[in-house]
CSV table of all heavy atoms in Angstrom, one decimal:
chain,number,residue,atom,x,y,z
A,958,ALA,N,-22.7,1.9,3.3
A,958,ALA,CA,-22.9,3.4,3.5
A,958,ALA,C,-24.1,4.0,2.7
A,958,ALA,O,-24.8,4.8,3.2
A,958,ALA,CB,-21.6,4.1,3.1
A,959,ASP,N,-24.2,3.5,1.5
A,959,ASP,CA,-25.3,3.9,0.6
A,959,ASP,C,-26.6,3.5,1.2
A,959,ASP,O,-27.6,4.2,1.1
A,959,ASP,CB,-25.1,3.4,-0.8
A,959,ASP,CG,-24.0,4.3,-1.5
A,959,ASP,OD1,-23.7,5.3,-1.3
A,959,ASP,OD2,-23.5,3.6,-2.5
A,960,PHE,N,-26.6,2.3,1.6
A,960,PHE,CA,-27.9,1.7,2.4
A,960,PHE,C,-28.3,2.7,3.4
A,960,PHE,O,-29.5,3.0,3.6
A,960,PHE,CB,-27.6,0.4,2.9
A,960,PHE,CG,-27.5,-0.8,2.0
A,960,PHE,CD1,-27.0,-2.0,2.6
A,960,PHE,CD2,-27.7,-0.8,0.7
A,960,PHE,CE1,-26.8,-3.0,1.7
A,960,PHE,CE2,-27.5,-1.8,-0.2
A,960,PHE,CZ,-27.0,-3.0,0.4
A,961,ASN,N,-27.4,3.1,4.3
A,961,ASN,CA,-27.8,3.8,5.4
A,961,ASN,C,-28.1,5.3,5.1
A,961,ASN,O,-29.0,5.9,5.7
A,961,ASN,CB,-26.8,3.8,6.5
A,961,ASN,CG,-26.8,2.5,7.3
A,961,ASN,OD1,-27.8,1.8,7.2
A,961,ASN,ND2,-25.8,2.2,8.2
A,962,ARG,N,-27.4,5.7,4.0
A,962,ARG,CA,-27.8,7.2,3.5
A,962,ARG,C,-29.2,7.2,3.0
A,962,ARG,O,-30.0,8.1,3.3
A,962,ARG,CB,-26.8,7.6,2.4
A,962,ARG,CG,-25.9,8.7,2.7
A,962,ARG,CD,-25.2,9.2,1.5
A,962,ARG,NE,-24.5,8.3,0.7
A,962,ARG,CZ,-23.3,7.9,1.0
A,962,ARG,NH1,-22.6,8.4,2.1
A,962,ARG,NH2,-22.6,7.0,0.2
A,963,ARG,N,-29.5,6.1,2.2
A,963,ARG,CA,-30.8,6.0,1.7
A,963,ARG,C,-32.0,5.9,2.8
A,963,ARG,O,-33.0,6.5,2.8
A,963,ARG,CB,-31.0,4.9,0.7
A,963,ARG,CG,-32.3,4.7,0.1
A,963,ARG,CD,-32.6,5.9,-0.9
A,963,ARG,NE,-33.9,5.8,-1.4
A,963,ARG,CZ,-34.8,6.8,-1.7
A,963,ARG,NH1,-34.3,8.1,-1.4
A,963,ARG,NH2,-35.9,6.7,-2.1
A,964,ARG,N,-31.6,5.2,3.9
A,964,ARG,CA,-32.5,5.0,5.0
A,964,ARG,C,-32.9,6.3,5.6
A,964,ARG,O,-34.0,6.6,5.9
A,964,ARG,CB,-32.0,4.1,6.0
A,964,ARG,CG,-32.1,2.6,5.6
A,964,ARG,CD,-31.4,1.7,6.6
A,964,ARG,NE,-31.5,0.2,6.3
A,964,ARG,CZ,-32.6,-0.5,6.6
A,964,ARG,NH1,-33.6,0.1,7.4
A,964,ARG,NH2,-32.8,-1.8,6.4
A,965,ALA,N,-31.7,7.1,5.8
A,965,ALA,CA,-31.9,8.5,6.4
A,965,ALA,C,-32.9,9.3,5.5
A,965,ALA,O,-33.7,10.1,5.9
A,965,ALA,CB,-30.6,9.1,6.7
A,966,GLU,N,-32.6,9.3,4.2
A,966,GLU,CA,-33.4,10.1,3.2
A,966,GLU,C,-34.9,9.6,3.5
A,966,GLU,O,-35.8,10.6,3.5
A,966,GLU,CB,-33.0,9.9,1.9
A,966,GLU,CG,-31.8,10.6,1.3
A,966,GLU,CD,-31.3,10.3,-0.1
A,966,GLU,OE1,-32.1,9.4,-0.7
A,966,GLU,OE2,-30.2,10.5,-0.3
A,967,LEU,N,-35.1,8.4,3.4
A,967,LEU,CA,-36.5,7.9,3.6
A,967,LEU,C,-37.2,8.3,4.8
A,967,LEU,O,-38.3,8.8,4.9
A,967,LEU,CB,-36.6,6.4,3.4
A,967,LEU,CG,-36.2,6.0,2.0
A,967,LEU,CD1,-35.8,4.4,1.9
A,967,LEU,CD2,-37.2,6.2,0.9
A,968,ALA,N,-36.4,8.2,6.0
A,968,ALA,CA,-36.9,8.7,7.2
A,968,ALA,C,-37.2,10.1,7.3
A,968,ALA,O,-38.3,10.6,7.7
A,968,ALA,CB,-35.8,8.4,8.4
A,969,ARG,N,-36.3,10.9,6.6
A,969,ARG,CA,-36.7,12.4,6.5
A,969,ARG,C,-38.0,12.6,5.7
A,969,ARG,O,-38.7,13.5,6.1
A,969,ARG,CB,-35.5,13.1,5.8
A,969,ARG,CG,-34.4,13.6,6.7
A,969,ARG,CD,-33.5,14.7,6.1
A,969,ARG,NE,-32.7,14.1,4.9
A,969,ARG,CZ,-31.6,13.5,5.1
A,969,ARG,NH1,-31.1,13.1,6.3
A,969,ARG,NH2,-30.9,13.1,4.0
A,970,ARG,N,-38.2,11.8,4.7
A,970,ARG,CA,-39.4,11.9,3.9
A,970,ARG,C,-40.6,11.6,4.8
A,970,ARG,O,-41.7,12.3,4.6
A,970,ARG,CB,-39.4,11.1,2.7
A,970,ARG,CG,-40.5,11.5,1.7
A,970,ARG,CD,-40.2,10.9,0.2
A,970,ARG,NE,-41.2,11.3,-0.7
A,970,ARG,CZ,-41.1,12.4,-1.4
A,970,ARG,NH1,-40.0,13.2,-1.3
A,970,ARG,NH2,-42.0,12.8,-2.3
A,971,TYR,N,-40.6,10.6,5.6
A,971,TYR,CA,-41.6,10.3,6.6
A,971,TYR,C,-41.9,11.5,7.4
A,971,TYR,O,-43.1,11.8,7.6
A,971,TYR,CB,-41.3,9.2,7.3
A,971,TYR,CG,-41.7,7.7,6.7
A,971,TYR,CD1,-40.7,6.6,6.7
A,971,TYR,CD2,-43.0,7.5,6.3
A,971,TYR,CE1,-41.1,5.5,6.2
A,971,TYR,CE2,-43.4,6.2,5.8
A,971,TYR,CZ,-42.4,5.3,5.7
A,971,TYR,OH,-42.7,4.0,5.1
A,972,PHE,N,-40.9,12.1,7.9
A,972,PHE,CA,-41.2,13.3,8.8
A,972,PHE,C,-41.9,14.3,8.2
A,972,PHE,O,-42.7,15.1,8.6
A,972,PHE,CB,-39.8,13.8,9.3
A,972,PHE,CG,-39.3,13.0,10.5
A,972,PHE,CD1,-38.1,12.3,10.4
A,972,PHE,CD2,-39.9,13.0,11.8
A,972,PHE,CE1,-37.6,11.6,11.5
A,972,PHE,CE2,-39.4,12.2,12.8
A,972,PHE,CZ,-38.3,11.5,12.6
A,973,GLU,N,-41.5,14.5,6.7
A,973,GLU,CA,-42.3,15.6,6.0
A,973,GLU,C,-43.6,15.2,5.6
A,973,GLU,O,-44.4,16.1,5.6
A,973,GLU,CB,-41.4,15.8,4.7
A,973,GLU,CG,-40.0,16.5,4.8
A,973,GLU,CD,-39.1,16.3,3.6
A,973,GLU,OE1,-39.7,15.9,2.6
A,973,GLU,OE2,-37.9,16.6,3.7
A,974,GLN,N,-43.8,14.0,5.4
A,974,GLN,CA,-45.1,13.6,4.7
A,974,GLN,C,-46.1,13.2,5.6
A,974,GLN,O,-47.3,13.1,5.3
A,974,GLN,CB,-44.8,12.5,3.7
A,974,GLN,CG,-43.9,12.8,2.5
A,974,GLN,CD,-44.5,13.8,1.5
A,974,GLN,OE1,-45.7,13.7,1.2
A,974,GLN,NE2,-43.8,14.8,1.0
A,975,ILE,N,-45.7,12.7,6.8
A,975,ILE,CA,-46.8,12.2,7.8
A,975,ILE,C,-47.6,13.4,8.2
A,975,ILE,O,-47.2,14.3,8.7
A,975,ILE,CB,-46.2,11.4,9.0
A,975,ILE,CG1,-45.6,10.1,8.4
A,975,ILE,CG2,-47.2,11.2,10.2
A,975,ILE,CD1,-44.9,9.3,9.5
A,976,ASP,N,-49.0,13.2,8.0
A,976,ASP,CA,-50.0,14.3,8.4
A,976,ASP,C,-49.9,14.5,10.0
A,976,ASP,O,-50.3,13.5,10.6
A,976,ASP,CB,-51.3,13.8,7.8
A,976,ASP,CG,-52.3,15.0,8.0
A,976,ASP,OD1,-52.1,15.9,8.8
A,976,ASP,OD2,-53.4,14.8,7.4
A,977,PRO,N,-49.6,15.6,10.4
A,977,PRO,CA,-49.7,15.8,11.9
A,977,PRO,C,-51.0,15.7,12.5
A,977,PRO,O,-51.2,15.4,13.7
A,977,PRO,CB,-49.2,17.3,12.1
A,977,PRO,CG,-48.6,17.7,10.9
A,977,PRO,CD,-49.2,16.9,9.7
A,978,ALA,N,-52.1,15.9,11.6
A,978,ALA,CA,-53.5,15.8,12.1
A,978,ALA,C,-53.7,14.4,12.6
A,978,ALA,O,-54.7,14.1,13.3
A,978,ALA,CB,-54.4,16.2,11.0
A,979,LEU,N,-52.9,13.4,12.2
A,979,LEU,CA,-53.2,11.9,12.6
A,979,LEU,C,-52.8,11.5,14.0
A,979,LEU,O,-53.0,10.5,14.4
A,979,LEU,CB,-52.5,11.0,11.6
A,979,LEU,CG,-52.9,11.1,10.1
A,979,LEU,CD1,-52.1,10.2,9.3
A,979,LEU,CD2,-54.3,11.1,9.9
A,980,GLN,N,-52.1,12.5,14.7
A,980,GLN,CA,-51.8,12.5,16.1
A,980,GLN,C,-50.8,11.3,16.3
A,980,GLN,O,-50.8,10.7,17.4
A,980,GLN,CB,-53.0,12.2,17.0
A,980,GLN,CG,-54.1,13.3,16.9
A,980,GLN,CD,-55.4,13.1,17.6
A,980,GLN,OE1,-55.3,12.4,18.6
A,980,GLN,NE2,-56.5,13.6,17.2
A,981,LEU,N,-50.1,11.0,15.4
A,981,LEU,CA,-49.1,9.9,15.6
A,981,LEU,C,-47.8,10.5,16.4
A,981,LEU,O,-47.5,11.8,16.3
A,981,LEU,CB,-48.3,9.4,14.3
A,981,LEU,CG,-49.4,8.7,13.4
A,981,LEU,CD1,-48.7,8.5,11.9
A,981,LEU,CD2,-49.7,7.3,13.9
A,982,THR,N,-47.3,9.7,17.4
A,982,THR,CA,-46.0,10.1,17.9
A,982,THR,C,-44.9,9.7,17.2
A,982,THR,O,-44.7,8.4,17.2
A,982,THR,CB,-46.0,9.6,19.5
A,982,THR,OG1,-47.1,10.0,20.2
A,982,THR,CG2,-44.8,10.1,20.2
A,983,LEU,N,-44.2,10.6,16.7
A,983,LEU,CA,-42.9,10.1,15.8
A,983,LEU,C,-41.8,9.9,16.7
A,983,LEU,O,-41.7,10.5,17.8
A,983,LEU,CB,-42.8,11.2,14.6
A,983,LEU,CG,-43.9,11.5,13.8
A,983,LEU,CD1,-43.5,12.5,12.7
A,983,LEU,CD2,-44.6,10.2,13.2
A,984,PRO,N,-40.9,9.2,16.2
A,984,PRO,CA,-39.6,8.9,16.9
A,984,PRO,C,-38.8,10.4,16.7
A,984,PRO,O,-39.1,11.2,15.9
A,984,PRO,CB,-38.9,7.9,16.0
A,984,PRO,CG,-39.4,8.0,14.7
A,984,PRO,CD,-40.9,8.4,14.8
A,985,PRO,N,-37.8,10.6,17.6
A,985,PRO,CA,-37.0,11.8,17.5
A,985,PRO,C,-36.3,11.9,16.1
A,985,PRO,O,-35.8,11.0,15.7
A,985,PRO,CB,-36.0,11.8,18.6
A,985,PRO,CG,-36.0,10.4,19.1
A,985,PRO,CD,-37.3,9.7,18.7
A,986,ALA,N,-36.3,13.1,15.5
A,986,ALA,CA,-35.6,13.2,14.2
A,986,ALA,C,-34.0,13.5,14.5
A,986,ALA,O,-33.6,13.7,15.7
A,986,ALA,CB,-36.1,14.6,13.5
A,987,ASP,N,-33.2,13.3,13.5
A,987,ASP,CA,-31.8,13.4,13.7
A,987,ASP,C,-31.4,14.7,14.3
A,987,ASP,O,-30.4,14.6,15.2
A,987,ASP,CB,-31.1,13.3,12.3
A,987,ASP,CG,-31.1,12.0,11.7
A,987,ASP,OD1,-31.3,11.1,12.4
A,987,ASP,OD2,-30.9,11.9,10.4
Side-chain angles (χ1 to χ4, degrees):
D959 288 336
F960 289 168
N961 282 352
R962 243 192 310 279
R963 183 63 187 146
R964 284 175 176 275
E966 280 172 12
L967 293 163
R969 274 197 293 280
R970 195 167 183 90
Y971 272 126
F972 282 113
E973 287 163 14
Q974 299 287 323
I975 288 177
D976 184 349
L979 302 183
Q980 303 177 29
L981 294 168
T982 304
L983 301 185
D987 286 340

